[in-house]
Amino acid sequence: MMQLVRKIDEIKAAARGAAREGKSVGLVPTMGYLHEGHISLMKKARAENDFLAVSIFVNPTQFGPSEDLDSYPRDLERDLRLCEEAGVNIVFAPESSEMYPEGYSTYVTVEGGVTAGLCGKSRPIHFRGVATVVTKLFNIVRPERAYFGQKDAQQVAVIKKMVRDTNQDVQVIACPIVREADGLALSSRNTYLSPSERQDALTLSSSLFGAVGLISSGEKSAAAVRGYIESRFAGIESASIDYIEIVDPDTMEPLSLISNRALIAIAVKIGKTRLIDNIVAEV
Amino acid sequence: MMQLVRKIDEIKAAARGAAREGKSVGLVPTMGYLHEGHISLMKKARAENDFLAVSIFVNPTQFGPSEDLDSYPRDLERDLRLCEEAGVNIVFAPESSEMYPEGYSTYVTVEGGVTAGLCGKSRPIHFRGVATVVTKLFNIVRPERAYFGQKDAQQVAVIKKMVRDTNQDVQVIACPIVREADGLALSSRNTYLSPSERQDALTLSSSLFGAVGLISSGEKSAAAVRGYIESRFAGIESASIDYIEIVDPDTMEPLSLISNRALIAIAVKIGKTRLIDNIVAEV
């Protein structure tokens, strides 16, 4: 029987109880409105852990003032059904005031290259919010393993760096991007898209696939690959590019020459909806 | 037999091993050059925990560029003897490069009133360094209880706030200031003082005792108490006052009227040596 709890003390007690019984604890942190990407995380976590916790929390500290915190889609009832089907043991769905009570003032910041570019540039406080809430969730649940989607590639790199830097005892596991049949990367924000915008959004994934093709046919220049992706968006009126970056997958440092492994990461606004996607090219 | 370890993995293994055996783990974080103040922390920690870890680490991230990181006194051999006598189970004395390897970039910041005044004003990055290293030590040792000296009253308030905000599972215990027979608060930095400076330094404690006397005889005005302390330093040429503050002991917010409990905290340079002291006045 899956449990739903709202309070930090409740999830702490449940997770500590499981650990005391010798169970391994897994955590899948989410902002809810679950899709197949989340389900894939839960399935892997279910297989690898005795006790599986999922958090559902639209974390206000990772949204900028002009971003979509208020309109971010929510459907707890459906989320709980999906969690139950995935064999989750406990769902932690706190109120904002439970996570950030009045007077809250402690933040975890990962400085340097890993947060400087990509989403860190256009969303300056985003990763501070991510690092802070993930630190809190790790302290609350004390998982042995935590699962994140590779779609947020920079987030994965930031969290891995934070865990290493602060000596947290948790294994951070990144799971592959889950895509629709036509290539669109799953995202809770896809729900914002009109039918024609959804069509336009396909250029994110298809330009990334094209870029990988270009690289495997011998292109080594990051500028050329960027130019190719840019050109793919040239005719799409709804699209405005936030960034197209080719970086080291671990450090997020920009590459000018593509060798070994390169992460191609893009953020594009389609209408009012900011979408991200990425792919790793191996040379 | 007391163990001395230098590596994070070693202290982690020892502390996790103790916890798995059902032992309670206590931690006394220090910068070494131990004095009776530290010993009092270790004695209390020894009595309250099954497994006692002491860290000895002069933490570079809490020193400003013009501060005394390089000259901070060190005597590991003597420290180890004192730890052994106090019944410590394990001493963790890492190199800087073990705690902050190349590329280290994650910091914990406690914002707001608790770090804004007092030492936070003249030492802007100090509490970021403290919060960061204490977070790391807590993640490494996972103590049930951690012990700090009330002499660093603001540090205690900052760490308590950080632990509460980030949901760390540790009880932060503050222990009373230990003083020499003549009133001087024990500090590793007292070793910097010349004999005449040491004499001048007595005005820190004696002015605080005087201030408490003033308050218990009816004085309620923080400004008047500050004025009294200031006047006590007027004739002392070696002294230059950094701050004299009267604040709420938990939030460190300045009080103008003294009621209930008030922390009187001062920082004074005697020659080149910056000393702090404090006392709580209860009305």
Short mmCIF file of all heavy atoms in Angstrom, two decimals, chain B residues 7 40-41 64 69 177-178 203 205 208 225 249 283:
data_model
loop_
_atom_site.label_atom_id
_atom_site.label_comp_id
_atom_site.label_asym_id
_atom_site.label_seq_id
_atom_site.Cartn_x
_atom_site.Cartn_y
_atom_site.Cartn_z
N LYS B 7 42.00 10.85 5.50
CA LYS B 7 41.19 10.77 4.28
C LYS B 7 39.70 10.70 4.62
O LYS B 7 39.30 10.06 5.60
CB LYS B 7 41.57 9.52 3.48
CG LYS B 7 43.01 9.50 3.01
CD LYS B 7 43.27 10.56 1.95
CE LYS B 7 44.72 10.60 1.54
NZ LYS B 7 45.04 11.80 0.75
N SER B 40 36.39 20.95 27.01
CA SER B 40 35.05 20.88 27.62
C SER B 40 34.03 20.34 26.62
O SER B 40 33.11 19.61 26.99
CB SER B 40 34.63 22.26 28.14
OG SER B 40 34.24 23.11 27.07
N LEU B 41 34.18 20.69 25.34
CA LEU B 41 33.30 20.13 24.30
C LEU B 41 33.49 18.62 24.20
O LEU B 41 32.53 17.85 24.13
CB LEU B 41 33.59 20.75 22.93
CG LEU B 41 33.51 22.26 22.76
CD1 LEU B 41 33.87 22.65 21.32
CD2 LEU B 41 32.12 22.77 23.09
N GLY B 64 39.37 35.31 5.34
CA GLY B 64 39.47 36.30 4.28
C GLY B 64 40.90 36.40 3.79
O GLY B 64 41.83 35.91 4.44
N LEU B 69 45.16 33.02 8.09
CA LEU B 69 45.17 31.60 7.73
C LEU B 69 46.57 30.98 7.89
O LEU B 69 46.73 29.93 8.50
CB LEU B 69 44.66 31.40 6.30
CG LEU B 69 44.79 30.00 5.72
CD1 LEU B 69 44.00 28.98 6.51
CD2 LEU B 69 44.33 29.96 4.26
N ILE B 177 31.25 29.23 27.34
CA ILE B 177 32.60 29.77 27.20
C ILE B 177 33.46 29.35 28.40
O ILE B 177 33.00 29.41 29.53
CB ILE B 177 32.56 31.32 27.11
CG1 ILE B 177 31.77 31.75 25.87
CG2 ILE B 177 33.97 31.91 27.13
CD1 ILE B 177 31.59 33.25 25.75
N VAL B 178 34.67 28.90 28.12
CA VAL B 178 35.62 28.60 29.20
C VAL B 178 36.59 29.79 29.29
O VAL B 178 37.09 30.27 28.28
CB VAL B 178 36.39 27.30 28.93
CG1 VAL B 178 37.42 27.04 30.03
CG2 VAL B 178 35.41 26.13 28.82
N THR B 203 40.01 43.56 29.23
CA THR B 203 38.87 44.49 29.18
C THR B 203 37.70 43.90 28.38
O THR B 203 36.56 44.30 28.59
CB THR B 203 39.33 45.84 28.59
OG1 THR B 203 40.42 46.32 29.37
CG2 THR B 203 38.22 46.86 28.62
N SER B 205 36.41 40.77 28.57
CA SER B 205 35.51 40.08 29.51
C SER B 205 35.03 41.01 30.61
O SER B 205 33.85 41.00 30.97
CB SER B 205 36.20 38.85 30.09
OG SER B 205 37.45 39.21 30.64
N LEU B 208 32.23 43.12 29.57
CA LEU B 208 30.99 42.35 29.42
C LEU B 208 30.36 42.06 30.78
O LEU B 208 29.14 42.18 30.96
CB LEU B 208 31.26 41.03 28.68
CG LEU B 208 31.58 41.17 27.19
CD1 LEU B 208 31.99 39.82 26.60
CD2 LEU B 208 30.37 41.73 26.41
N VAL B 225 24.28 50.65 27.10
CA VAL B 225 25.19 49.55 27.42
C VAL B 225 26.38 49.56 26.46
O VAL B 225 27.53 49.38 26.86
CB VAL B 225 24.44 48.19 27.38
CG1 VAL B 225 25.42 47.03 27.54
CG2 VAL B 225 23.35 48.15 28.45
N PRO B 249 19.75 36.39 20.86
CA PRO B 249 20.74 35.30 20.83
C PRO B 249 20.49 34.27 19.73
O PRO B 249 21.42 33.57 19.33
CB PRO B 249 20.61 34.64 22.21
CG PRO B 249 19.86 35.60 23.05
CD PRO B 249 19.03 36.43 22.14
N VAL B 283 17.04 39.19 31.56
CA VAL B 283 16.35 40.24 32.32
C VAL B 283 15.13 39.64 33.00
O VAL B 283 14.39 38.90 32.38
CB VAL B 283 15.92 41.39 31.39
CG1 VAL B 283 15.25 42.49 32.21
CG2 VAL B 283 17.13 41.94 30.66
#
